[in-house]
Amino acid sequence: MLAEDDPRQAEALRRYLTAAGHRATVVADGETALRQAREQAFDLLLLDVMLPKLDGMQVCRILRQESDVPVLMLTARSAEDDLLRGLDLGADDYMTKPYSPRELVARVRTLLRRVRTTPQESPVHRLGRLTVDESRRLVTAGDTTVDCTAGEFAILAAMIRQPGRVFSRVQLLEHTRGVDRESTGRTIDVHVMNLRRKIESNPRRPQQLLTVYGVGYKLSAGTS
Amino acid sequence: MLAEDDPRQAEALRRYLTAAGHRATVVADGETALRQAREQAFDLLLLDVMLPKLDGMQVCRILRQESDVPVLMLTARSAEDDLLRGLDLGADDYMTKPYSPRELVARVRTLLRRVRTTPQESPVHRLGRLTVDESRRLVTAGDTTVDCTAGEFAILAAMIRQPGRVFSRVQLLEHTRGVDRESTGRTIDVHVMNLRRKIESNPRRPQQLLTVYGVGYKLSAGTS
DNA sequence: CCGGTTTGTCAGGAACCGGTCAAGGCGGGG
DNA sequence: CCCCGCCTTGACCGGTTCCTGACAAACCGG
């Protein structure tokens, strides 16, 4: 939630945040901010200090007594006293205008990372009947776990990161071999074949790891 | 803990903090900071960016992989990029010199309040027949206590913090020595072998400390 | 339907990787 | 000063994986 009374600034901030992949609800005064915060569980509150009806300090103070939602204060003044009051009232961070979009987004991300309950988030990709856990190096097809060699895993991981994208053989080779080694041989084809044997129910008729004739390979969701 | 190489600044900061009722341990370089942070559980780390041997950014990055201790970065430069890098590396807050004593103390208090209200995770990890108590540096396998060397303990602790995750040799090396020194040698392998002799009932057929061919090692729950 | 090109498949050998051992370096404690 | 553990390194070996070349099958345009 973003509490900011100047429509232009509010719009600018909202754009930064959505561009960074966040959703934002905008409110224009302190009372509304407080009411909304009570009705709905937000991940984070961006709170301008100068707000109509109820200023940011008050909102922060009241909210702190009833919730642990992260609060990031925004102020035009750079007065140190403001800053100190804000932090003492329970704000988690503080930025003075004018703020840079990148810094704002970075601070938001920091606060969100803290609140996200997942202690260790490992990027797990899913596509069709396929699952790839990169940090654990775990692959499952359907409900059976598959163990891949390093090269096979590298190819599969690269492809599932961008489902549907077509990869040339050279591009895939770069993932297995770090550097670009020009190889016109059958190397990649063999790896793909071995992968299909492990992840496709019928390797002769691939459903997910598909050939793009004349170009390379791609990973699709299959029949779903 | 306060990591700051300029003795005068370090002393000044220490005084601010003690005046505000905190205790502070002062270290003068990055490697020492990292080592101390591993040996002892601090409530918060005040980290100067420019440090000898290992700069603050590196310390932050490495430490973040193994701990959730709040980190407050300090820098002379006010470059925005520094700030962003710091926050992206997992720092919780950031201040540019010269900072006011009051603001510093306020930010420290904010971070400390956060960590104290957060449910503390127990520093003793369990996985299969393994137990690792980080604060006491105690390891048990089954019901027999094992004494590990520093390097062995560092590896085991790093792995048990994220069970199942696959660690490369370079990553594990970062835990035994502070810095990433490229070593194609058998260092890690030897440590792993010695660990297996101590914690596995049959070191030839490891049940928990497993090899991931072509990648590194991982710790699994074993037969359960 | 035909021919050239691209891909699937196979198997052997090269390259690589990890387990293990022993020797040497380094530092701390006596 | 020496002794003793610990860490590191290099070498060797057995096992796995990867690459390569050949051939068959599939694909595409005409």
Side-chain angles (χ1 to χ4, degrees):
Chain A
M1 172 161 58
L2 167 60
E4 164 66 64
D5 58 327
D6 178 352
R8 282 185 48 220
Q9 291 203 39
E11 178 54 20
L13 287 171
R14 202 190 54 73
R15 262 205 296 258
Y16 297 153
L17 293 169
T18 53
H22 304 288
R23 286 167 299 144
T25 301
V26 180
V27 300
D29 69 86
E31 283 184 8
T32 310
L34 201 54
R35 183 159 18 88
Q36 282 277 55
R38 283 171 171 152
E39 286 178 3
Q40 208 174 329
F42 289 94
D43 297 316
L44 183 139
L45 175 54
L46 274 167
L47 190 57
D48 190 13
V49 169
M50 299 218 281
L51 284 177
K53 297 188 182 174
L54 195 61
D55 77 28
M57 294 291 184
Q58 298 302 318
V59 174
C60 183
R61 186 176 55 78
I62 297 171
L63 205 57
R64 239 326 145 255
Q65 295 171 5
E66 29 190 286
S67 160
D68 286 328
V69 63
V71 173
L72 174 48
M73 293 273 239
L74 309 172
T75 185
R77 299 168 285 182
S78 68
E80 186 185 313
D81 274 347
D82 254 26
L83 192 159
L84 292 168
R85 269 187 64 212
L87 291 180
D88 272 345
L89 284 178
D92 294 272
D93 205 347
Y94 205 97
M95 295 189 66
T96 56
K97 303 176 188 177
Y99 22 70
S100 82
R102 291 181 55 205
E103 178 178 351
L104 178 86
V105 169
R107 287 188 184 269
V108 165
R109 189 165 40 203
T110 300
L111 288 175
L112 284 180
R113 180 178 49 220
R114 182 178 305 131
V115 81
R116 291 276 152 80
T117 50
T118 48
Q120 300 289 351
E121 55 179 323
S122 73
V124 178
H125 300 100
R126 258 174 257 271
L127 185 70
R129 11 177 274 120
L130 262 184
T131 309
V132 177
D133 183 333
E134 288 204 61
S135 71
R136 291 215 250 258
R137 296 216 153 223
L138 227 66
V139 176
T140 61
D143 42 31
T144 57
T145 72
V146 175
D147 68 336
C148 297
T149 69
E152 289 161 9
F153 186 88
I155 290 176
L156 193 55
M159 296 185 81
I160 207 168
R161 264 184 234 120
Q162 293 171 267
R165 167 175 167 186
V166 181
F167 293 84
S168 74
R169 288 177 171 69
V170 177
Q171 287 173 326
L172 291 175
L173 212 63
E174 283 177 6
H175 283 96
T176 70
R177 271 294 178 200
V179 206
D180 52 340
R181 290 179 51 179
E182 279 190 42
S183 159
T184 56
R186 303 259 65 78
T187 304
I188 293 299
D189 304 64
V190 174
H191 280 144
V192 167
M193 179 186 66
N194 291 328
L195 266 174
R196 280 176 177 157
R197 281 179 177 159
K198 294 176 178 177
I199 66 174
E200 297 277 3
S201 47
N202 182 1
R204 298 303 185 96
R205 303 242 182 286
Q207 300 285 306
Q208 297 203 245
L209 186 36
L210 307 179
T211 302
V212 181
Y213 192 90
V215 187
Y217 298 96
K218 73 173 178 180
L219 201 60
S220 90
T223 56
S224 53
Chain B
M1 171 160 58
L2 167 61
E4 164 67 65
D5 58 326
D6 179 352
R8 283 185 46 221
Q9 292 200 41
E11 178 55 22
L13 287 171
R14 203 190 52 74
R15 261 205 295 264
Y16 297 152
L17 293 169
T18 52
H22 303 290
R23 287 168 299 143
T25 301
V26 180
V27 300
D29 68 87
E31 285 183 8
T32 311
L34 201 54
R35 184 158 18 88
Q36 284 277 55
R38 282 169 173 157
E39 288 177 2
Q40 210 174 327
F42 289 94
D43 297 316
L44 183 138
L45 174 55
L46 274 166
L47 189 58
D48 190 12
V49 169
M50 300 221 276
L51 284 177
K53 296 187 182 175
L54 195 63
D55 75 30
M57 295 290 185
Q58 298 300 320
V59 174
C60 183
R61 183 176 58 80
I62 297 171
L63 204 59
R64 241 325 146 256
Q65 295 173 6
E66 33 189 281
S67 161
D68 286 326
V69 62
V71 173
L72 173 48
M73 294 273 239
L74 309 172
T75 187
R77 300 168 285 185
S78 68
E80 184 188 314
D81 275 345
D82 256 26
L83 192 158
L84 293 167
R85 271 188 62 212
L87 292 179
D88 272 345
L89 284 178
D92 294 271
D93 205 349
Y94 207 96
M95 294 189 68
T96 55
K97 304 175 185 178
Y99 22 70
S100 81
R102 289 180 57 202
E103 178 177 351
L104 179 84
V105 169
R107 285 187 186 268
V108 165
R109 189 164 38 204
T110 300
L111 287 176
L112 284 179
R113 178 180 51 221
R114 179 182 306 140
V115 82
R116 290 199 176 126
T117 53
T118 303
Q120 288 282 2
E121 58 182 306
S122 138
V124 48
H125 300 94
R126 254 174 263 269
L127 185 70
R129 9 176 278 119
L130 261 185
T131 310
V132 176
D133 185 335
E134 288 202 64
S135 60
R136 294 183 186 282
R137 281 187 50 92
L138 217 68
V139 176
T140 62
D143 42 61
T144 58
T145 73
V146 175
D147 69 333
C148 296
T149 70
E152 289 161 11
F153 185 85
I155 290 176
L156 194 57
M159 296 185 81
I160 207 169
R161 269 183 226 119
Q162 291 170 268
R165 166 169 169 189
V166 180
F167 293 84
S168 74
R169 287 179 172 68
V170 176
Q171 286 174 325
L172 291 175
L173 214 58
E174 274 188 8
H175 289 277
T176 69
R177 326 191 262 198
V179 205
D180 50 344
R181 291 168 52 184
E182 273 191 48
S183 158
T184 58
R186 303 262 68 80
T187 304
I188 293 298
D189 304 63
V190 174
H191 281 146
V192 167
M193 182 183 64
N194 291 328
L195 267 173
R196 280 175 176 158
R197 283 180 176 156
K198 293 176 180 177
I199 66 174
E200 297 277 3
S201 46
N202 182 0
R204 298 303 185 98
R205 302 241 180 283
Q207 301 283 307
Q208 300 213 82
L209 186 36
L210 307 180
T211 302
V212 181
Y213 196 95
V215 187
Y217 297 96
K218 72 174 177 180
L219 201 61
S220 90
T223 56
S224 53

